[in-house]
Amino acid sequence: MSEPRGGQIVNVMKEERLFSPSPEFSAKARIKSIEEYERLWKESAADIPGFWGKMAEELHWFKPFDKVLEWNEPFAKWFVGGQTNVSYNCLDVHLSTPRRNKAALIWEGEPGDTRVYTYQMLHTEVCKFANVLKKLGIGQGDVVSMYMPMVPELVIAMLACARIGAIHCVIFAGFSSEAIAERNRDASAKLIITADQGWRRGAKLPLKANVDAALEKSPTVQKCVVLKRVGDPAPMKEGRDFWWHDLMAEASDVCPAQPMDSEAPLFILYTSGSTGKPKGVKHTTAGYNLYAKKTTEWVFDVRDEDVFWCTADVGWITGHTYIVYGPLSAGVTTFVYEGAPNAPREDRWWSLIEKYKINILYTAPTAIRTFIKWGDHWVDQHDLSSLRLLGSVGEGINPEAWMWYYEKIGGSRCPIVDTWWQTETGGIMMSPLPGAIPLKPGSCTKPLPGIIPEIVAEDGKPVEPGHGGWLVIAKPWPGMLRGIWGDDERYKIQYWSDVKGKYLCGDNARCDADGYYWIMGRIDDVLNVSGHRLSTIEIESALVSHEAVAEAAAVGRPHEIKGEAVAVFVTLASGYEPSDELRKKLRDHVRKEIGAFCVPDDIRFTTALPKTRSGKIMRRLLRDIAAGRQTTGDTTTLEDFSVLARLRSDEE
Ligand code: PRX
């Protein structure tokens, strides 16, 4: 572990305002008071398996489980011996209820086209596509990659995989062909699903072209299904590429859900860690499904008449859990918008809320800060009175953004649930329960039932109350990752070795005198740019793979909108000179190697990097320089003191 990085949210910690839920909100909520929450939490903490075993009765079981939890540290098995199916729990269970003809999914494309699927209609499409997958030779345990726009077919494809026991691996459409190929290879994907192109702010994203390039380096992928989204001609490779609509035209809509073992893998989702290689986080069937359902119900307090809009991309965990699996298992209407928030104008989101009478909006602080910058007049033109609950995820929300969100978007009547969790946790871990827990802006408040957080020092012992330290989770929970795809060793080392017997999440946090948790940033070299997790080492590896670069160090610096921006320090190989043209080339190179969303904001050429005597780059110093701060703290381990002066003068 490198040095802790708390401290940047100091002003958040002085926040003393408290916002209690209104009596009307609490009266209708599932959990109505702090006392009720505390009772539930204590009950869960006293008997973790008993608590979750009871909750699991809410899923459909083809075969009941024999044992709730088998904990062979650090490997957990939940609901052992049971068989269920996630697609069944999201769709079939509703078909014998009045929800059958209710909207499961309401979608609007960026150009303004719309589609609505009832639970029955979604079931039909999922069954048909499940049959398509079977026809293409996909069966239980096969991995299917998806590189798609935010269209209903992505949801359909995910549920179709779940239906037949195939494992999906959704790759965010902002990744480059290199990144797709790396994931395809690591996951041994057999099939990939994509679209001809996608819409983004009126431009056309070359999705199929990126996949074509990736498939040159993805030896395990045999076939490719292509959805026609935009309509420009797309080259199709005979025998490998198939149009979605051709396959669907011939598919039967009868496909019973395959009973799956509780621990059968449901999906792999890659995320950044503290090394250059992305981690394939593995989630399995029953535990994930239950956790997605219960957290949706507790945190968003969803009701049958709600339209729920989680604005994340399905390519991230937030989209998996709170666009697809959570809302559909809970029988809610999930809303999906395909495009950019400023297409065609900066009020697109507010017009969608007004048009569809959205009740719950779940988004990220970076989006909120962007809207603040765009100006209130975009919001003022719209009636947002349908909203009753707001959510935030991805990074801490600063009090200024919190207050704007609360007053301007929520009309001072909607609680804000600031939800802390990770790709690895499968679902929300700490968050206000909106009818029960008074809010403090900037705090994710308290753990959900069944979740036991602790704050510990580097020796694993609890810190004194009120002090910052490593946030760990002391007991297994059903939504937890079951490992890193193909790398048990890395799973053990990354999450379970620094603090014995507890899950180390990689964040620093503090718990105040009221038992409220405050997240204080990452322990490791992971950046959080616009709510996306980026590994500094991944960016550095991309840079040094360019012939002009000898060495590179990437650090985060504070950024008004994105939270953190990427600053890189580069030393050049001999024969290369700093220039704006080279800067542009390096940016393009990172775009090609990883994807547009990782492109560094600042590239600084330097003649040397500050290192310790053992050769470790002193990132703390680079962070100070990138942020324009005075260098503070210890520099005695610096190998060459003149480097600091040179770094500063290189800037001038
Ligand atoms: O550092 C925390 C931050 O995002 C990390 C997880 O990133 P990822 O796996 O990409 O998942 C993002 C969506 C769940 C965490 O380790 N983070 C997430 N939510 C919050 C947060 N930091 C502070 N407050 C939050 N509410």
Short mmCIF file of all heavy atoms in Angstrom, two decimals, residues 317-318 393-396 418-424 507 519 522 528 533, ligand 1:
data_model
loop_
_atom_site.label_atom_id
_atom_site.label_comp_id
_atom_site.label_asym_id
_atom_site.label_seq_id
_atom_site.Cartn_x
_atom_site.Cartn_y
_atom_site.Cartn_z
N ILE A 317 -20.79 -0.84 -12.97
CA ILE A 317 -21.56 -1.64 -12.01
C ILE A 317 -22.87 -0.93 -11.63
O ILE A 317 -23.89 -1.59 -11.42
CB ILE A 317 -20.73 -1.96 -10.75
CG1 ILE A 317 -21.42 -2.98 -9.86
CG2 ILE A 317 -20.42 -0.72 -9.94
CD1 ILE A 317 -21.52 -4.36 -10.40
N THR A 318 -22.85 0.39 -11.57
CA THR A 318 -24.08 1.09 -11.17
C THR A 318 -25.21 0.77 -12.15
O THR A 318 -26.36 0.57 -11.74
CB THR A 318 -23.83 2.61 -11.10
OG1 THR A 318 -22.67 2.82 -10.30
CG2 THR A 318 -24.99 3.34 -10.47
N VAL A 393 -23.84 8.86 -6.40
CA VAL A 393 -22.91 7.73 -6.36
C VAL A 393 -21.63 8.03 -7.13
O VAL A 393 -21.65 8.84 -8.05
CB VAL A 393 -23.55 6.45 -6.95
CG1 VAL A 393 -23.92 6.62 -8.42
CG2 VAL A 393 -22.64 5.22 -6.78
N GLY A 394 -20.57 7.37 -6.76
CA GLY A 394 -19.35 7.39 -7.56
C GLY A 394 -18.21 8.10 -6.87
O GLY A 394 -17.05 7.77 -7.06
N GLU A 395 -18.52 9.10 -6.09
CA GLU A 395 -17.51 9.84 -5.35
C GLU A 395 -18.25 10.61 -4.28
O GLU A 395 -19.49 10.70 -4.30
CB GLU A 395 -16.75 10.79 -6.26
CG GLU A 395 -17.67 11.79 -6.92
CD GLU A 395 -16.96 12.77 -7.83
OE1 GLU A 395 -16.01 13.41 -7.36
OE2 GLU A 395 -17.39 12.91 -8.98
N GLY A 396 -17.49 11.19 -3.36
CA GLY A 396 -18.14 12.01 -2.35
C GLY A 396 -18.79 13.21 -3.00
O GLY A 396 -18.29 13.72 -4.01
N ASP A 418 -26.88 9.45 -0.49
CA ASP A 418 -25.48 9.44 -0.93
C ASP A 418 -24.99 8.01 -0.69
O ASP A 418 -24.77 7.60 0.45
CB ASP A 418 -24.69 10.46 -0.10
CG ASP A 418 -23.20 10.45 -0.42
OD1 ASP A 418 -22.74 9.58 -1.17
OD2 ASP A 418 -22.49 11.31 0.12
N THR A 419 -24.84 7.26 -1.76
CA THR A 419 -24.63 5.82 -1.65
C THR A 419 -23.16 5.47 -1.85
O THR A 419 -22.59 5.76 -2.90
CB THR A 419 -25.46 5.08 -2.71
OG1 THR A 419 -25.00 5.48 -4.01
CG2 THR A 419 -26.93 5.41 -2.59
N TRP A 420 -22.56 4.85 -0.87
CA TRP A 420 -21.16 4.41 -1.01
C TRP A 420 -21.13 2.91 -1.32
O TRP A 420 -21.75 2.11 -0.61
CB TRP A 420 -20.34 4.67 0.26
CG TRP A 420 -18.96 4.08 0.07
CD1 TRP A 420 -17.92 4.67 -0.57
CD2 TRP A 420 -18.52 2.78 0.47
NE1 TRP A 420 -16.84 3.80 -0.61
CE2 TRP A 420 -17.18 2.64 0.03
CE3 TRP A 420 -19.12 1.71 1.14
CZ2 TRP A 420 -16.43 1.49 0.25
CZ3 TRP A 420 -18.36 0.57 1.34
CH2 TRP A 420 -17.03 0.46 0.91
N TRP A 421 -20.42 2.58 -2.38
CA TRP A 421 -20.21 1.16 -2.71
C TRP A 421 -19.19 1.06 -3.82
O TRP A 421 -18.59 2.06 -4.21
CB TRP A 421 -21.54 0.47 -3.05
CG TRP A 421 -22.31 1.02 -4.22
CD1 TRP A 421 -22.87 2.25 -4.30
CD2 TRP A 421 -22.62 0.35 -5.43
NE1 TRP A 421 -23.53 2.38 -5.51
CE2 TRP A 421 -23.39 1.24 -6.22
CE3 TRP A 421 -22.35 -0.93 -5.93
CZ2 TRP A 421 -23.86 0.89 -7.50
CZ3 TRP A 421 -22.82 -1.28 -7.20
CH2 TRP A 421 -23.57 -0.37 -7.95
N GLN A 422 -18.98 -0.14 -4.35
CA GLN A 422 -17.93 -0.39 -5.34
C GLN A 422 -18.35 -1.50 -6.30
O GLN A 422 -19.25 -2.29 -5.98
CB GLN A 422 -16.67 -0.91 -4.63
CG GLN A 422 -16.18 -0.07 -3.51
CD GLN A 422 -14.97 -0.72 -2.86
OE1 GLN A 422 -15.10 -1.80 -2.28
NE2 GLN A 422 -13.82 -0.10 -2.95
N THR A 423 -17.64 -1.59 -7.41
CA THR A 423 -17.86 -2.71 -8.34
C THR A 423 -17.81 -4.03 -7.57
O THR A 423 -18.62 -4.93 -7.79
CB THR A 423 -16.74 -2.71 -9.42
OG1 THR A 423 -16.70 -1.43 -10.02
CG2 THR A 423 -16.98 -3.78 -10.47
N GLU A 424 -16.88 -4.11 -6.66
CA GLU A 424 -16.66 -5.35 -5.92
C GLU A 424 -17.80 -5.68 -4.96
O GLU A 424 -18.02 -6.84 -4.64
CB GLU A 424 -15.37 -5.24 -5.09
CG GLU A 424 -14.08 -5.21 -5.90
CD GLU A 424 -13.69 -3.80 -6.33
OE1 GLU A 424 -14.56 -2.89 -6.34
OE2 GLU A 424 -12.52 -3.61 -6.68
N ASP A 507 -10.61 2.34 0.41
CA ASP A 507 -10.95 3.73 0.73
C ASP A 507 -10.57 4.02 2.18
O ASP A 507 -10.67 3.15 3.04
CB ASP A 507 -12.46 3.97 0.60
CG ASP A 507 -12.91 4.08 -0.84
OD1 ASP A 507 -12.07 4.39 -1.71
OD2 ASP A 507 -14.10 3.86 -1.11
N ILE A 519 -16.42 9.22 3.74
CA ILE A 519 -15.39 8.61 2.89
C ILE A 519 -14.34 9.67 2.59
O ILE A 519 -14.69 10.80 2.24
CB ILE A 519 -16.01 8.08 1.58
CG1 ILE A 519 -17.16 7.11 1.86
CG2 ILE A 519 -14.95 7.44 0.68
CD1 ILE A 519 -16.79 5.84 2.55
N ARG A 522 -9.10 7.47 -1.72
CA ARG A 522 -8.48 6.15 -1.87
C ARG A 522 -7.19 6.01 -1.08
O ARG A 522 -6.45 6.97 -0.88
CB ARG A 522 -8.18 5.90 -3.35
CG ARG A 522 -9.38 5.87 -4.25
CD ARG A 522 -10.18 4.62 -4.12
NE ARG A 522 -9.40 3.43 -4.37
CZ ARG A 522 -9.92 2.21 -4.39
NH1 ARG A 522 -11.21 2.04 -4.17
NH2 ARG A 522 -9.17 1.17 -4.61
N ASN A 528 -10.17 8.87 -9.24
CA ASN A 528 -11.61 8.89 -9.46
C ASN A 528 -11.92 10.11 -10.30
O ASN A 528 -12.01 11.22 -9.81
CB ASN A 528 -12.33 8.93 -8.11
CG ASN A 528 -13.82 8.72 -8.27
OD1 ASN A 528 -14.40 9.12 -9.27
ND2 ASN A 528 -14.44 8.12 -7.29
N ARG A 533 -13.30 4.95 -12.23
CA ARG A 533 -12.09 4.52 -11.54
C ARG A 533 -10.98 4.31 -12.55
O ARG A 533 -11.12 3.52 -13.46
CB ARG A 533 -12.40 3.18 -10.90
CG ARG A 533 -12.18 3.16 -9.46
CD ARG A 533 -12.91 1.99 -8.92
NE ARG A 533 -12.00 0.90 -8.70
CZ ARG A 533 -12.35 -0.19 -8.02
NH1 ARG A 533 -13.58 -0.31 -7.55
NH2 ARG A 533 -11.50 -1.15 -7.83
O1 PRX B 1 -13.58 5.50 -3.75
C1 PRX B 1 -14.93 5.08 -3.69
C2 PRX B 1 -15.72 5.83 -4.74
O2 PRX B 1 -15.73 5.00 -5.89
C3 PRX B 1 -15.01 3.78 -5.62
C4 PRX B 1 -15.68 2.62 -6.33
O3 PRX B 1 -15.63 2.82 -7.70
P1 PRX B 1 -16.37 1.83 -8.69
O4 PRX B 1 -16.01 0.43 -8.36
O5 PRX B 1 -16.08 2.31 -10.06
O6 PRX B 1 -17.89 1.99 -8.37
C5 PRX B 1 -18.50 3.22 -8.52
C6 PRX B 1 -19.98 3.09 -8.29
C7 PRX B 1 -20.39 2.27 -7.16
C8 PRX B 1 -15.06 3.64 -4.13
O7 PRX B 1 -14.04 2.80 -3.66
N1 PRX B 1 -17.12 6.05 -4.31
C9 PRX B 1 -18.23 5.44 -4.77
N2 PRX B 1 -19.33 5.95 -4.17
C10 PRX B 1 -18.90 6.90 -3.32
C11 PRX B 1 -17.49 6.97 -3.39
N3 PRX B 1 -16.78 7.82 -2.63
C12 PRX B 1 -17.45 8.62 -1.78
N4 PRX B 1 -18.80 8.62 -1.65
C13 PRX B 1 -19.56 7.79 -2.40
N5 PRX B 1 -20.89 7.82 -2.28
#
